Amino acid sequence: MGSDRQMTSSPALKNPGTKLRRAPHSKPPFTLSQLKKAIPPHCFRRSALRSLSYVVSDLAVAALLSHISTTYVPFLPRPLRYLAWPVVWFLQGCVLTGYWIIAHDCGHHAFSEHKWLDDLVGFFIHSSLLVPYFSWKYSHRLHHSNTASLPRDESFVPMLRSQIPWIFKYFNNTLGRILIILGSALMGWPLYLLVNASGHTYDRWTSHFDPYSPLYTDRDRVMILVSDAGVLATGYILFRVAVAKGVWWLFCALGAPMLVVHAFLALIIFLQHTHPSLPHYDGSEWDWMRGALSTVDRDYGILNGVFHNVADTHVLHHLFTTIPHYNAMEATKAVRPILGEYYRFDATPFWQAVWREVRECVFVEPDGGEGNGGVYWFRNYAVKNKI
């Protein structure tokens, strides 16, 4: 998958050491309807049966790995036991990340032809992973409607130079960046749900669990409460399991893999929208098409399939959210000749990419500094990203 793309992707993005050329930021010479016509019609068809097969397979593999972790690994000799657990937890966490992504499809009506079925399956999956399904669905809708808009985007909104907190100077070094990455991996996703960390800044308390949060309208509030009830129900079930089986058993069966899920969710979302070549826009320059194109596809190797291609078809996803994940690769190949330089793909291994992006993409500003122009680029105090 990755090698096929590298042959045709922009030379500025192929290799980790290559200088990164800026993405185009002018209005593109193509329209959304032209892109849609280039995609084979069957790519837009959503099969409930096929989508459900991914739910079943992910659950089966995750359950098998959980069984291995709690039934067989504890009886290995002590040195092997402490080597085997992290491997099994990592594998299970990867599978559960893919399971989470199926609910992401549900939230975009990309699971089946029936919205009620999408919401039913999405609610079950996300609730089982302690995610408020409708709450996230509605806030994620804001993100897709305002991608790369500095005043209105909802998630992973970059800061301006003037917004960088004073304490950052103590983290603008190797150790500080390691702590930022670890903190984001462990707590970035839960904090986003709890207090909208890294999301849009509102003038009052903002939480995905609060039906009166500024994220939601009056008509959303009942479903926010339903989402909260789903998370509470799962929490109660997990509490009863911990009482019956023990906290360590629950940690091995689900807790440790969930830490892997949180890490990958934070990593995937961050890398999809953070890249030295990507523009952001203020209100004077932003439009939906340019915002949708201000994202980048990444290559996770063998994990592309495990993650249901959420990371290596993300540009297409922002253009056509209802295409199911199993048709996204074909659709991406169909639109790439039209997108040309507007398509961004970076084959840098994700563990190298996250280090580069944390180092170089600290804040955004126009070329002439704040207040000069409506197109903003990532910067670092020490690294001049003149690309």
Side-chain angles (χ1 to χ4, degrees):
M1 213 173 322
S3 60
D4 175 58
R5 287 194 174 180
Q6 282 191 223
M7 294 192 315
T8 55
S9 54
S10 165
L13 296 176
K14 282 197 299 186
N15 302 310
T18 306
K19 187 177 181 181
L20 300 168
R21 189 163 66 240
R22 282 180 173 175
H25 59 83
S26 58
K27 291 189 176 182
F30 47 81
T31 65
L32 193 65
S33 61
Q34 288 175 317
L35 295 173
K36 187 173 182 179
K37 288 177 182 177
I39 299 173
H42 69 263
C43 288
F44 292 92
R45 299 190 191 114
R46 298 155 292 198
S47 167
L49 189 61
R50 184 172 181 182
S51 296
L52 282 169
S53 72
Y54 289 100
V55 177
V56 172
S57 61
D58 281 356
L59 271 178
V61 174
L64 175 62
L65 290 169
S66 180
H67 181 67
I68 292 172
S69 177
T70 56
T71 305
Y72 296 105
V73 175
F75 294 100
L76 291 175
R78 184 160 295 184
L80 290 178
R81 186 188 317 168
Y82 297 119
L83 291 174
W85 259 323
V87 173
V88 176
W89 292 339
F90 177 80
L91 294 176
Q92 187 181 346
C94 290
V95 173
L96 287 176
T97 301
Y99 178 63
W100 186 100
I101 288 162
I102 295 174
H104 167 264
D105 268 15
C106 293
H108 283 291
H109 191 30
F111 185 84
S112 75
E113 299 296 329
H114 310 286
K115 285 188 176 181
W116 66 267
L117 180 60
D118 290 22
D119 285 340
L120 182 65
V121 174
F123 177 74
F124 171 80
I125 293 175
H126 270 176
S127 295
S128 68
L129 297 174
L130 298 175
V131 177
Y133 170 72
F134 291 101
S135 308
W136 174 85
K137 174 183 174 179
Y138 297 154
S139 71
H140 193 60
R141 176 180 61 195
L142 295 174
H143 165 60
H144 273 267
S145 298
N146 301 284
T147 307
S149 167
L150 291 173
R152 297 191 303 274
D153 199 354
E154 173 48 41
S155 57
F156 271 102
V157 182
M159 291 183 288
L160 303 178
R161 181 193 290 262
S162 59
Q163 296 171 327
I164 300 294
W166 64 270
I167 198 172
F168 173 76
K169 64 183 178 181
Y170 298 108
F171 291 88
N172 191 24
N173 51 62
T174 299
L175 177 59
R177 293 180 192 114
I178 291 172
L179 292 175
I180 289 172
I181 292 171
L182 290 176
S184 298
L186 292 174
M187 295 302 298
W189 174 248
L191 286 177
Y192 173 64
L193 294 179
L194 287 169
V195 296
N196 212 44
S198 78
H200 183 81
T201 301
Y202 295 93
D203 58 1
R204 59 189 176 90
W205 166 260
T206 306
S207 172
H208 283 75
F209 295 95
D210 178 8
Y212 292 94
S213 167
L215 291 166
Y216 310 119
T217 64
D218 289 341
R219 70 174 181 270
D220 297 333
R221 306 203 194 284
V222 171
M223 301 315 293
I224 306 306
L225 292 172
V226 171
S227 302
D228 291 349
V231 172
L232 286 172
T234 300
Y236 178 74
I237 292 171
L238 294 177
F239 169 74
R240 298 306 305 175
V241 171
V243 169
K245 294 282 193 175
V247 173
W248 177 248
W249 187 95
L250 181 60
F251 179 80
C252 292
L254 186 62
M258 281 300 298
L259 294 178
V260 177
V261 174
H262 290 173
F264 269 119
L265 289 179
L267 176 68
I268 291 170
I269 298 170
F270 173 72
L271 289 181
Q272 285 169 342
H273 297 282
T274 308
H275 192 278
S277 73
L278 292 180
H280 282 71
Y281 305 93
D282 67 11
S284 68
E285 286 285 341
W286 181 88
D287 61 62
W288 182 87
M289 176 70 89
R290 283 190 288 173
L293 292 170
S294 295
T295 183
V296 60
D297 284 353
R298 303 280 189 169
D299 189 357
Y300 285 74
I302 193 172
L303 292 178
N304 286 333
V306 178
F307 295 159
H308 303 308
N309 300 106
V310 72
D312 58 334
T313 62
H314 196 69
V315 176
L316 175 89
H317 173 65
H318 267 269
L319 295 168
F320 302 100
T321 57
T322 60
I323 292 180
H325 67 83
Y326 42 81
N327 292 331
M329 285 297 298
E330 181 180 357
T332 294
K333 291 177 182 178
V335 299
R336 280 190 60 188
I338 301 174
L339 293 176
E341 282 294 306
Y342 284 85
Y343 174 75
R344 301 277 98 182
F345 172 74
D346 192 339
T348 304
F350 67 84
W351 57 89
Q352 294 181 28
V354 69
W355 181 257
R356 181 189 68 201
E357 267 56 304
V358 167
R359 178 174 177 264
E360 298 186 13
C361 303
V362 178
F363 58 87
V364 293
E365 67 178 3
D367 284 338
E370 288 186 35
N372 293 285
V375 182
Y376 290 66
W377 303 96
F378 281 109
R379 294 277 196 273
N380 182 294
Y381 287 117
V383 180
K384 302 295 186 183
N385 286 343
K386 295 273 186 162
I387 54 178

